[in-house]
Amino acid sequence: MTGQRYAVIGGGILGAAVARRLLSVQPDARVTVLEKEPALASHQTGRNSGVVHAGLYYTPGSLKARLCRRGVGLLQEYCGGRGLAYDECGKVLVARDSVEESRLGDILARAQANGVPGVRIIDRDELRALEPHVEGTSGLHSPHTAIVDYGAVTRALAEDVAAAGGTVTTSFEVTGLARRGGETLVTGRRQGSETTEAFDAVIVCAGLHADRVAKLAGDDDDPKIVPFRGEYYLLRPERRNLVKGLVYPVPDPRYPFLGVHLTPRVDGEVMVGPNAVLALAREGYGWTTFSARDLADALAWPGFRAFAKKHWRTGATEMLGSLSKRKFVAEARKYVPELTIDDVVPGPSGIRAQALGRDGSLVDDFRITRHGSVLSVRNAPSPAATSSLAIAEHIVALALDRKDTPTP
């Protein structure tokens, strides 16, 4: 007897991880991953900085905190088993004054409550020993924070899916979801023609288009995905020695985005950024990419208008950083004073699928909804890539109506 038929919509790291997990717990299942791009990991997964977040900031006991900590262990184990790069380069949050220093204690308490190993507050001398070119009054050191290549991880997961008998279909854009008896019909375009396939259950991991695909299944608009573009510069090769590990600011709870930081990658590059500006399209990686539908969607959403009214000053500052290389570099110089405008070259950009509630609130934790046989990941914020293997356990347990969702 053949097993259940599952469609997983979305070929980022989360979709690939969910498909792999389904086949792990139901080896006779027929699992199909549907990705609208010609290649997997084309958007958020393949365009992020590659950081494996340790769980420093998250509210203890929250789903985000629990899945992050389990996800770190699973990801490290998976990379080791598949021969993928996993570099524990470490991370420092750099305090520049007494106000920022006062925030470190709360972050330390959260990190320890979340079980982050080895995290501690360090003084100026210890900071300078760790990062000789970084200036600050003190810091918080997380020695086990790591970096990986999430695109490579996604491709390895997809290989596992295929090896277990699943199917990965690219260039398939889902355009419709409908119920027919006990089945869900998935309609999509591929190579210029429209096709419809029947499945027993559907799991939506559509990232930048999560709200739209969920709405096809009958879900409502709330929360809405609003795209924010993050732009990066790269250090010139001869200046990559300015940092040894990840150098981050101390988060300011008054503002929704973290600010510019310096991030080594497993390929040797060092990223400087990102800023955060409203993207003119959900896949708009530059100022020249514009979608009237996407922009109108964002501007018409009451939640965005409320958010913009509250944070317009921050938005103006981020916009200046986007338009002025000098302003952008000046933000990074607060932490690495030796950095000059000639030390950086234009780098990649990515889009953050920010879920905004109708009231203008940022949806901070993972949000998963069910409509009939369709389970939709409506919000998968950072650290979603870090947590992907643990989120997959959680989602598959929900999809199978199991009560034994793994926890750390």
Side-chain angles (χ1 to χ4, degrees):
M1 179 179 177
T2 56
Q4 294 281 100
R5 299 164 298 170
Y6 294 95
V8 179
I9 300 174
I13 192 169
L14 187 52
V18 166
R20 176 178 177 269
R21 177 65 180 173
L22 278 168
L23 287 162
S24 174
V25 299
Q26 286 196 345
D28 63 340
R30 289 180 286 169
V31 177
T32 302
V33 177
L34 301 172
E35 165 55 42
K36 76 179 183 67
E37 302 294 350
L40 303 179
S42 294
H43 295 295
Q44 289 187 109
T45 297
R47 289 176 170 269
N48 65 36
S49 59
V51 176
V52 181
H53 293 281
L56 302 180
Y57 315 115
Y58 316 128
T59 302
S62 66
L63 188 60
K64 180 185 283 192
R66 291 186 288 111
L67 294 180
C68 178
R69 286 305 308 152
R70 178 162 178 78
V72 169
L74 292 173
L75 182 61
Q76 184 174 19
E77 181 182 1
Y78 183 76
C79 288
R82 294 290 261 115
L84 300 170
Y86 187 96
D87 180 3
E88 287 189 343
C89 62
K91 172 179 177 177
V92 288
L93 308 187
V94 181
R96 298 181 297 116
D97 53 38
S98 59
V99 173
E100 292 186 345
E101 284 185 335
S102 69
R103 296 180 189 140
L104 292 180
D106 179 61
I107 296 171
L108 176 64
R110 286 189 175 209
Q112 290 174 333
N114 289 334
V116 180
V119 63
R120 65 190 181 94
I121 292 176
I122 58 177
D123 60 22
R124 185 194 296 267
D125 291 338
E126 291 175 296
L127 174 61
R128 182 54 63 93
L130 281 171
E131 294 285 357
H133 302 280
V134 172
E135 183 59 45
T137 59
S138 64
L140 185 142
H141 184 217
S142 174
H144 297 289
T145 296
I147 51 176
V148 298
D149 179 345
Y150 285 117
V153 174
T154 302
R155 291 186 289 274
L157 292 169
E159 290 171 2
D160 294 345
V161 170
T167 302
V168 178
T169 302
T170 56
S171 300
F172 187 102
E173 182 178 4
V174 173
T175 58
L177 296 171
R179 292 288 294 168
R180 184 184 67 185
E183 299 177 319
T184 296
L185 303 180
V186 179
T187 300
R189 286 190 296 266
R190 191 176 192 221
Q191 297 176 345
S193 62
E194 192 169 79
T195 183
T196 298
E197 297 183 44
F199 297 93
D200 298 301
V202 175
I203 300 175
V204 178
C205 303
L208 288 164
H209 303 280
D211 54 342
R212 290 175 176 169
V213 179
K215 193 172 182 179
L216 292 176
D219 251 335
D220 60 26
D221 286 329
D222 196 0
K224 173 78 72 177
I225 296 297
V226 176
F228 285 89
R229 186 172 67 252
E231 299 159 328
Y232 290 92
Y233 283 90
L234 299 174
L235 292 186
R236 294 186 183 276
E238 65 271 19
R239 298 295 275 168
R240 292 174 184 166
N241 63 346
L242 286 174
V243 294
K244 294 183 176 181
L246 304 162
V247 176
Y248 272 55
V250 178
D252 188 332
R254 296 173 299 172
Y255 302 123
F257 301 115
L258 183 60
V260 170
H261 40 280
L262 291 93
T263 308
R265 297 195 318 200
V266 293
D267 63 3
E269 296 280 8
V270 177
M271 304 173 77
V272 182
N275 57 0
V277 296
L278 178 67
L280 303 181
R282 294 197 182 195
E283 298 169 12
Y285 298 105
W287 285 108
T288 59
T289 304
F290 173 81
S291 165
R293 179 194 179 192
D294 291 351
L295 188 58
D297 242 11
L299 297 179
W301 182 238
F304 174 73
R305 296 197 297 271
F307 175 83
K309 182 178 179 180
K310 182 178 180 180
H311 296 291
W312 68 269
R313 287 185 177 86
T314 301
T317 300
E318 295 291 317
M319 187 72 73
L320 284 174
S322 176
L323 298 174
S324 167
K325 181 180 180 181
R326 188 172 301 278
K327 173 66 176 174
F328 196 108
V329 172
E331 290 299 308
R333 279 175 51 82
K334 294 176 180 178
Y335 305 95
V336 184
E338 296 172 47
L339 188 68
T340 72
I341 196 170
D342 295 325
D343 291 333
V344 300
V345 296
S349 62
I351 301 290
R352 171 178 175 172
Q354 179 59 62
L356 279 179
R358 188 176 294 276
D359 62 356
S361 60
L362 295 174
V363 181
D364 186 55
D365 211 342
F366 300 111
R367 183 172 297 183
I368 301 166
T369 62
R370 187 195 301 272
H371 197 87
S373 61
V374 179
L375 198 69
S376 298
V377 181
R378 297 296 301 267
N379 190 49
S382 178
T386 298
S387 311
S388 55
L389 296 175
I391 300 172
E393 290 180 334
H394 181 76
I395 290 171
V396 170
L398 291 174
L400 301 180
D401 288 322
R402 291 173 55 173
K403 305 302 181 183
D404 56 337
T405 301
T407 56

